[in-house]
């Protein structure tokens, strides 16, 4: 499960978005945290096909901290997340989305610079004239931040990035931009990489039955719920894909980084499967659906046997063979 931290300027609608995405209430003065299932219609199809007794979706945890970047405790909480979702106000006649985004990003850089400078001072004193990787990494990070370059874009050496992860700089984390839109509006051209969400509208229907809520949102012109839009953007930013397992006991979705090998994917399920990996029976979701059943897919040769070098693809269905 990955943690996504919501960050934004005052009155950007961050807490409203939290309610819209999670269907959980937002409480002021404290961190709001909620775990939500990742929408995936493939799970229902496989559950019915295999008559699975249980269905388990992948999950994402959203974190909405009070005070934004003005609170030290909030910044510390954001350092624990895997990615940042910057919420930008795109409603109201006085909205200035590009300037607001630039301001939030500047605050993120300043928060990092303060931590990096302090860490560099301590590391330099400790090194006593013999700087090591930690000093070099911190110095490189400081130089990048002083030129207003987010650390994710600074082209730091791999060993420096690894060293910096211990202090979890905010600008090193993957980032997505969420345009908080008003009814009938679209993502402004000044935010070309943003995804649009109608937070106020979706928050109003958050307590409704999901199917009824979807129907009502469509009347407002919202064809894709914000949760699906935001999670898809987060998966892209985090370089994640979904693979599946299915059978009579359970149909389940799992997240894994793009490019992961079959043993690495097996390790997501359980460490024993990775340690004792022998092979994996693999079939693409579309091929299984076209075949109509796993038995039919095996009969027609659609199920492949893959070894340790196989890179798992989006929508692969795996059955791991192992021995420990």
């Amino acid at each position: 499960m990955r943690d996504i931290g919501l960050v934004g300027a005052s009155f950007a609608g961050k807490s409203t978005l939290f309610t819209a995405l999670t269907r959980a209430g937002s409480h002021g003065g404290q961190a709001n945290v909620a775990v939500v299932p990742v929408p995936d219609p493939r799970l229902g199809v496989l559950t019915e096909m295999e008559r699975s007794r249980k269905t388990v979706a992948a999950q994402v945890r959203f974190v909405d901290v009070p005070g934004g970047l003005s609170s030290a405790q909030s910044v510390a909480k954001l350092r624990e997340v895997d990615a940042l979702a910057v919420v930008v106000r795109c409603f109201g006649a006085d909205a200035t989305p590009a300037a607001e985004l630039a301001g939030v990003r500047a605050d993120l850089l300043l928060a990092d610079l303060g931590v990096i400078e302090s860490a560099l001072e301590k590391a330099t004193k400790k090194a006593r004239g013999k700087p090591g990787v930690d000093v070099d990494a911190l110095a490189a990070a400081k130089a990048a931040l002083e030129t207003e370059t987010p650390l994710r874009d600074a082209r730091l050496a791999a060993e420096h990035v690894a060293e910096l992860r211990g202090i979890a700089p905010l600008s090193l984390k993957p980032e997505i931009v969420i345009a908080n839109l008003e009814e009938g509006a679209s993502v402004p051209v000044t935010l070309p990489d943003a995804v649009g969400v109608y937070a106020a509208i979706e928050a109003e229907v958050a307590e409704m039955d999901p199917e009824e809520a979807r129907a009502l949102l469509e009347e407002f012109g919202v064809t894709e719920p914000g949760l699906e839009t935001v999670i898809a953007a987060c998966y892209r930013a985090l370089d994640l894909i979904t693979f599946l397992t299915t059978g009579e006991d359970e149909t389940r979705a799992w997240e894994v980084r793009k490019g992961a090998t079959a043993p690495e994917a097996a390790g997501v399920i359980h460490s024993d499967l990775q340690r004792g990996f022998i092979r994996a029976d693999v079939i693409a979701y579309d091929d299984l659906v076209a075949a109509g059943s796993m038995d039919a897919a095996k009969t027609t040769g659609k199920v492949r046997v893959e070894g340790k070098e196989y890179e798992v693809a989006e929508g692969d269905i795996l059955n791991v063979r192992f021995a420990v």
Side-chain angles (χ1 to χ4, degrees):
M1 178 168 30
R2 303 304 171 102
D3 289 358
I4 309 300
L6 301 179
V7 62
S10 299
F11 308 110
K14 185 165 58 72
S15 295
T16 301
L17 178 66
F18 177 84
T19 299
L21 295 178
T22 66
R23 294 174 167 253
S26 179
H27 305 284
Q30 65 184 59
N32 295 296
V33 181
V35 176
V36 298
V38 176
D40 193 334
R42 297 173 296 190
L43 292 173
V45 174
L46 293 176
T47 295
E48 184 175 352
M49 181 182 295
E50 295 297 312
R51 295 183 174 84
S52 304
R53 287 185 284 273
K54 185 166 69 170
T55 306
V56 183
Q59 295 181 320
V60 166
R61 180 162 39 223
F62 287 102
V63 180
D64 173 28
V65 297
L69 296 173
S70 62
S71 163
Q73 286 184 329
S74 296
V75 171
K77 190 71 175 177
L78 288 173
R79 293 196 188 283
E80 299 174 1
V81 305
D82 298 297
L84 295 176
V86 182
V87 185
V88 180
R89 181 168 70 94
C90 297
F91 56 86
D94 62 339
T96 54
E100 184 171 299
L101 175 59
V104 173
R105 285 174 168 169
D107 288 342
L108 292 169
L109 295 181
L110 284 174
D112 279 351
L113 186 58
V115 172
I116 294 293
E117 286 180 334
S118 177
L120 177 58
E121 183 179 352
K122 293 177 182 177
T124 302
K125 289 180 179 179
K126 185 177 180 181
R128 296 180 180 177
K130 297 180 180 179
V133 174
D134 57 341
V135 173
D136 291 342
L138 291 165
K142 180 174 180 290
L145 293 170
E146 288 176 337
T147 62
E148 301 182 1
T149 303
L151 297 182
R152 76 179 74 85
D153 299 329
R155 298 184 179 181
L156 300 172
E159 60 180 359
H160 290 171
V161 172
E163 191 71 29
L164 291 170
R165 292 200 189 282
I167 56 177
L170 298 176
S171 68
L172 188 60
K173 299 179 184 296
E175 174 198 86
I176 68 167
V177 179
I178 301 175
N180 190 2
L181 305 170
E182 57 190 345
E183 182 184 346
S186 56
V187 176
V189 295
T190 54
L191 300 179
D193 299 321
V195 296
V197 176
Y198 302 88
I201 296 174
E202 295 207 36
E204 288 182 8
V205 303
E207 295 183 5
M208 294 177 60
D209 173 81
E211 292 304 317
E212 293 179 359
R214 184 183 286 267
L216 184 57
L217 288 173
E218 288 178 354
E219 292 182 14
F220 284 106
V222 181
T223 56
E224 184 177 33
L227 179 62
E228 296 177 16
T229 300
V230 170
I231 288 181
C234 290
Y235 267 47
R236 290 193 297 271
L238 289 164
D239 216 21
L240 297 175
I241 62 171
T242 301
F243 74 93
L244 307 153
T245 55
T246 189
E248 290 184 2
D249 289 338
E250 176 184 271
T251 289
R252 184 163 184 160
W254 308 85
E255 65 180 39
V256 69
R257 64 172 182 80
K258 187 181 297 183
T261 61
E264 289 171 330
V268 173
I269 301 172
H270 197 285
S271 58
D272 284 349
L273 272 66
Q274 181 171 8
R275 187 168 64 252
F277 182 90
I278 299 173
R279 68 178 189 276
D281 299 332
V282 182
I283 182 172
Y285 169 80
D286 289 341
D287 287 342
L288 178 56
V289 172
S293 71
M294 190 65 76
D295 288 340
K298 291 177 180 178
T299 300
T300 56
K302 292 295 184 179
V303 179
R304 313 184 309 275
V305 176
E306 301 288 358
K308 294 182 178 180
E309 302 304 316
Y310 176 72
E311 288 190 5
V312 176
E314 170 65 37
D316 273 351
I317 299 169
L318 271 62
N319 181 28
V320 178
R321 309 289 184 176
F322 72 106
V324 176

